[in-house]
Amino acid sequence: MQKAAFPGSFDPCTMGHLNIIRRASLMFDELVVVVAENRQKRYLFSASERVNMIQEMIGDLPNVTVVVWDSLIVDFLHREGIRILVRGVRGMEDFSYEFELSMMNKALDRKIETIFMTTDPEYFVLRSSSIKELASFNGNISGMVPPLVAEALKKKYGRDLS
Ligand code: ADP
């Protein structure tokens, strides 16, 4: 029984994240998407909004679950008895950041293995922060996020501007 965790902010979840979730769900018996709730960070969407959106997108993937975690990912892995972390990589910049992160996790627990999954080419420009910026200027984000996320972004920025 191979279980893996895919942690991130998912603020909001993009087609790029979803692509990694779908592909990873085929590689492991169980995949837990871990939505970070870091008190030092400001998010556009609350943790429950982020979780609900992901849950709606992955309704057809029975081996994927979504949880919120507000502490060290290593502690989550220990609690759940998971040894594998999945991370997505869009390019060299992501890789050097992800590599350092994986070294930090290894320093905390040698047994943790990070699996780097390269993005599929059509998603490599997708970044939650750029999509939020685009949405805030009413730019066209269709194709970058699932329709339910596009709708949620529209509501957020519509409300913020009114
Ligand atoms: P980001 O703001 O970079 O989207 P997250 O913390 O939500 O940040 O990302 C969680 C994980 O998903 C990270 O490993 C990140 O590299 C990966 N990821 C984000 N966008 C993509 C994408 N378009 N393709 C592949 N992986 C991605």
Side-chain angles (χ1 to χ4, degrees):
M1 184 77 172
Q2 201 66 274
K3 245 179 142 179
F6 178 39
S9 304
F10 306 102
D11 186 37
C13 188
T14 70
M15 294 300 244
H17 291 122
L18 196 55
N19 173 252
I20 298 288
I21 294 172
R22 288 192 177 279
R23 287 162 54 209
S25 77
L26 299 174
M27 295 167 56
F28 301 100
D29 298 302
E30 269 182 50
L31 180 73
V32 188
V33 178
V34 186
V35 172
E37 178 69 329
N38 180 341
R39 276 175 234 117
Q40 278 152 24
K41 272 200 192 171
R42 277 184 62 90
Y43 300 98
L44 178 64
F45 292 98
S46 70
S48 57
E49 285 174 319
R50 286 176 280 146
V51 167
N52 291 342
M53 285 191 281
I54 301 172
Q55 270 167 345
E56 280 201 47
M57 294 175 210
I58 54 132
D60 60 324
L61 303 175
N63 63 335
V64 180
T65 50
V66 191
V67 300
V68 177
W69 188 251
D70 66 356
S71 188
L72 279 180
I73 190 66
V74 172
D75 292 338
F76 177 79
L77 299 179
H78 288 159
R79 197 191 71 173
E80 298 296 315
I82 299 176
R83 286 182 47 211
I84 301 172
L85 271 180
V86 171
R87 297 288 287 175
V89 177
R90 282 161 292 205
M92 283 315 287
E93 214 177 292
D94 269 358
F95 183 72
S96 49
Y97 171 72
E98 294 292 345
F99 182 80
E100 264 185 44
L101 216 59
S102 74
M103 286 300 116
M104 226 144 69
N105 286 326
K106 271 242 184 268
L108 295 172
D109 181 348
R110 277 265 163 161
K111 289 196 283 300
I112 291 172
E113 300 295 353
T114 304
I115 307 293
F116 301 109
M117 290 186 69
T118 53
T119 187
D120 273 346
E122 57 270 49
Y123 307 112
F124 98 104
V125 291
L126 301 186
R127 193 172 293 275
S128 298
S129 51
S130 338
I131 293 173
K132 280 185 283 195
E133 198 176 348
L134 204 53
S136 75
F137 291 115
N138 209 18
N140 183 2
I141 53 166
S142 60
M144 299 182 183
V145 290
L148 78 110
V149 173
E151 207 44 51
L153 278 167
K154 220 196 263 176
K155 273 199 199 132
K156 279 276 177 205
Y157 289 113
R159 203 166 47 226
D160 288 348
L161 295 173
S162 61

